[in-house]
Amino acid sequence: MAQKIIVTGGAGYIGSHTTVALQDAGFDVIVLDNLINSSEKSLHGVEKITGIHPEFIHVDCTDRDATRNAFKKHSDAVGVIHFAGLKAVGESVEKPLMYYRNNLDSLINVLEMMREFNIPNIVFSSSATVYGNPDILPVTEETPLKPAQSPYGQTKVMGEEIIRDMVRATPTINATLLRYFNPIGAHPSGQIGENPRGIPNNLMPYITQTAIGMREQLSIFGDDYDTDDGFCVRDYIDVNDLARAHVAALRHMINGAHGANVFNLGTGHGVSVMEMVNAFESATGVKIKYKIAPRRPGDVPAIWADATHAKRVLGWSANTPLVDTLASAWRWQQNPDAKD
Ligand code: NAD
Ligand code: UD1
């Protein structure tokens, strides 16, 4: 019998790629999602890739009774991956209570159900945003956290703390806190990918939407940073590599890792915005029209990961070349059938 994993937010961008990775690894995936920022089409995309449509339960994880019913039905699960959450930084500044309510209530409900039904392992989606503007680069898991810059970031800091407290109080439950750097790209098949609603906030979808003509031009936020070329630097990680890390984290716990463990998930390399634009152009042959715009408030000049801890402990590292990641993002952008 395949081991069962509950994936909240599994219809979303990272969740759908992780569902593919879990199925590839032989797990039976149950997706819980309220589709607030996704659509069931992504699960059809998953089926096209793996041949398996994961069981889907339409549930809002902030609804305790509905979440209980879903967990009760799958109380034999060996783990939960908790992706469900809202993630738009700007929106979280405008609607902080909505972000605290959604992201924290859903996490607390999931943890309560794990206790109630004795489900022993959780993987939590944290973010490099917890490091704020770091003093020393690259950041390790020991780099001190800075006060969060937004309510969204604060839900990640608080989410990590809630999980740590709960694991301390409940020795039968183990947790892995994964701090993602900047996930980009799509499945190489072009069947699943990132499908932001409205105007994208993030760089990669803005580039691909500019390339296909949906946006007139890219605004590059700031060219006068204290970095090698003056542009902001980030650690862009292929979403398929990121997905594999979740499988590695689960296996680590299933094989006996205890407590709450934290890992940076990045490539270990910083790439500037201009380097990304140039790399996209050479990967796809498509020119990106851009202009230099003022700095975006809240952006940190540079951040990238020291990802050696994940390599040493989980045996995981990011290995997809950037050119392949950019080609997959472009393939996905050009596949109209897979999107709403
Ligand atoms: P996404 O919006 O594509 O996926 C999140 C999914 O959760 C969506 O399908 C959404 O419908 C669902 N959801 C939201 N609230 C829910 C609720 N109350 N009940 C049930 N389902 C709910 O986002 P993503 O990029 O796949 O991100 C997944 C997780 O990773 C999020 O927690 C996000 O904060 C975190 N994260 C993302 C990034 C990134 O750059 N994409 C970086 C760091 C951390
Ligand atoms: C942002 C969030 C972060 C969140 C992550 C994933 C902020 C301050 N940070 O990270 O908390 O976890 O998204 O949702 O919002 N850029 C442009 N033009 C654009 C878009 C982006 O030049 O149109 C630049 C930005 O200035 C930045 C880089 O591209 O230097 C990456 O931006 P983005 O993709 O939004 O990610 P982060 O800001 O790193």
Side-chain angles (χ1 to χ4, degrees):
M1 269 286 276
Q3 289 177 309
K4 192 181 274 184
I5 309 293
I6 294 173
V7 179
T8 74
Y13 173 45
I14 306 171
S16 56
H17 290 81
T18 302
T19 297
V20 168
L22 287 165
Q23 290 178 340
D24 281 348
F27 289 101
D28 179 14
V29 181
I30 312 298
V31 169
L32 273 52
D33 203 302
N34 66 355
L35 304 180
I36 196 168
N37 196 39
S38 55
S39 112
E40 261 194 275
K41 265 203 164 178
S42 63
L43 302 180
H44 299 309
V46 167
E47 185 178 4
K48 282 191 183 153
I49 296 165
T50 63
I52 306 165
H53 195 293
E55 179 173 335
F56 172 62
I57 305 180
H58 191 291
V59 56
D60 184 335
C61 294
T62 66
D63 180 337
R64 201 160 177 273
D65 290 339
T67 306
R68 175 182 281 111
N69 287 338
F71 271 71
K72 193 173 182 180
K73 187 172 174 210
H74 296 290
S75 58
D76 54 339
V78 296
V80 179
I81 305 185
H82 183 57
F83 292 109
L86 299 171
K87 62 165 183 176
V89 176
E91 185 184 54
S92 81
V93 175
E94 282 156 31
K95 299 176 182 168
L97 297 184
M98 184 170 103
Y99 270 67
Y100 287 119
R101 172 75 74 195
N102 191 73
N103 292 4
L104 298 182
D105 268 9
S106 61
L107 173 63
I108 291 168
N109 285 341
V110 163
L111 293 173
E112 282 183 344
M113 294 314 136
M114 289 175 65
R115 269 170 65 128
E116 192 168 324
F117 297 108
N118 295 316
I119 299 175
N121 303 304
I122 181 167
V123 179
F124 176 65
S125 300
S126 188
S127 167
T129 194
V130 301
Y131 296 115
N133 186 8
D135 298 325
I136 299 171
L137 289 167
V139 290
T140 72
E141 289 78 0
E142 275 72 50
T143 297
L145 305 192
K146 293 270 184 74
Q149 301 275 321
S150 67
Y152 163 75
Q154 189 64 17
T155 67
K156 294 302 177 192
V157 174
M158 292 167 82
E160 287 197 7
E161 285 306 322
I162 289 168
I163 292 172
R164 276 198 200 89
D165 287 344
M166 132 52 134
V167 167
R168 220 172 275 131
T170 319
T172 51
I173 291 187
N174 312 300
T176 308
L177 314 176
L178 299 179
R179 292 178 181 157
Y180 312 154
F181 281 66
N182 289 57
I184 60 165
H187 191 269
S189 64
Q191 294 297 341
I192 53 174
E194 186 175 16
N195 193 14
R197 306 227 153 138
I199 300 171
N201 296 308
N202 298 116
L203 179 64
M204 195 66 238
Y206 212 105
I207 288 179
T208 56
Q209 290 193 7
T210 305
I212 209 162
M214 285 170 69
R215 312 282 156 210
E216 204 204 320
Q217 62 180 343
L218 170 72
S219 292
I220 294 184
F221 300 137
D223 64 351
D224 57 353
Y225 282 100
D226 185 15
T227 56
D228 283 351
D229 63 4
F231 298 97
C232 276
V233 173
R234 296 288 184 273
D235 185 335
Y236 295 94
I237 174 164
D238 185 282
V239 68
N240 304 287
D241 288 340
L242 191 69
R244 282 191 297 104
H246 293 74
V247 178
L250 267 177
R251 285 218 170 106
H252 186 56
M253 291 189 287
I254 290 169
N255 292 336
H258 283 300
N261 295 296
V262 54
F263 296 96
N264 284 342
L265 297 182
T267 65
H269 302 288
V271 175
S272 80
V273 178
M274 190 56 81
E275 286 171 336
M276 279 292 279
V277 170
N278 292 337
F280 183 84
E281 289 182 347
S282 48
T284 64
V286 183
K287 279 279 186 214
I288 299 298
K289 197 173 164 205
Y290 66 81
K291 66 171 182 198
I292 305 298
R295 292 182 179 194
R296 181 171 68 176
D299 271 347
V300 303
I303 184 165
W304 66 91
D306 179 328
T308 51
H309 186 51
K311 179 158 195 181
R312 202 170 51 246
V313 177
L314 301 179
W316 170 91
S317 58
N319 56 21
T320 306
L322 182 60
V323 56
D324 292 356
T325 304
L326 296 170
S328 70
W330 183 224
R331 203 170 300 127
W332 158 250
Q333 184 64 63
Q334 292 172 288
N335 180 358
D337 299 338
K339 301 190 205 67
D340 284 326

